[in-house]
Amino acid sequence: MGSTHAGKGAYTAEESKPYHDKLRLLRARLVGDTNHLAESALNRTRSEAAGDLSKMPIHMADIGSDNYEQEFSLNLLAAEQDTLVEIDSALARIESGEYGACVECGHRIKKSRLNAIPFTHYCIDCASERDQEARG
């Protein structure tokens, strides 16, 4: 992803500060969420969550629900882990003075896009082009 264009559209340290703060808050919230999701997905069954620690068999539908909820939580956890990686990458770009420059074309990413997705690597044009390529 390292582009020769990286610095030309970058935001100054002062321009990046609000995004730095927003990214730190978002990261802290996601870390808390991922810890909670991991705990609920990996460590607790329905009966434990309800406080029933007996070994009494439960209905098969409850087992299916437990499996679905665990899989759903694990999928959310994976997505949030990916977002944490993106946030850490954005924070590193702020530190290196490259934040706000599209890693593809080097142009400045609009503030409206950064307000919506503060960890984005791409301007809207390059992101759209990448989405079209991914769809085939």
Side-chain angles (χ1 to χ4, degrees):
M1 277 195 228
S3 173
T4 56
H5 305 287
K8 88 176 179 186
Y11 284 70
T12 66
E14 188 173 319
E15 290 172 314
S16 296
K17 175 127 179 46
Y19 300 105
H20 181 269
D21 296 343
K22 183 182 264 192
L23 286 161
R24 286 284 182 197
L25 286 170
L26 183 57
R27 187 181 195 292
R29 195 191 92 222
L30 281 176
V31 167
D33 288 351
T34 57
N35 289 341
H36 175 73
L37 279 172
E39 179 183 314
S40 69
L42 301 174
N43 296 329
R44 303 180 87 193
T45 65
R46 176 185 302 276
S47 59
E48 289 170 341
D52 180 11
L53 300 178
S54 71
K55 299 299 179 198
M56 189 80 139
I58 56 176
H59 193 275
M60 291 300 291
D62 289 337
I63 293 170
S65 293
D66 286 346
N67 289 341
Y68 173 79
E69 287 176 19
Q70 184 178 33
E71 184 176 338
F72 184 76
S73 292
L74 289 172
N75 287 337
L76 281 177
L77 181 61
E80 289 193 359
Q81 289 290 349
D82 291 345
T83 302
L84 281 172
V85 169
E86 296 297 322
I87 290 170
D88 287 341
S89 176
L91 289 168
R93 290 192 309 278
I94 288 173
E95 292 299 317
S96 68
E98 297 175 357
Y99 182 78
C102 175
V103 298
E104 189 72 30
C105 69
H107 292 112
R108 184 171 271 220
I109 301 170
K110 291 182 179 182
K111 288 183 179 185
S112 58
R113 180 160 170 78
L114 289 174
N115 285 331
I117 311 169
F119 47 85
T120 188
H121 292 266
Y122 303 101
C123 67
I124 192 69
D125 293 334
C126 291
S128 295
E129 190 174 304
R130 290 176 61 85
D131 285 346
Q132 287 178 355
E133 288 173 6
R135 288 186 213 146

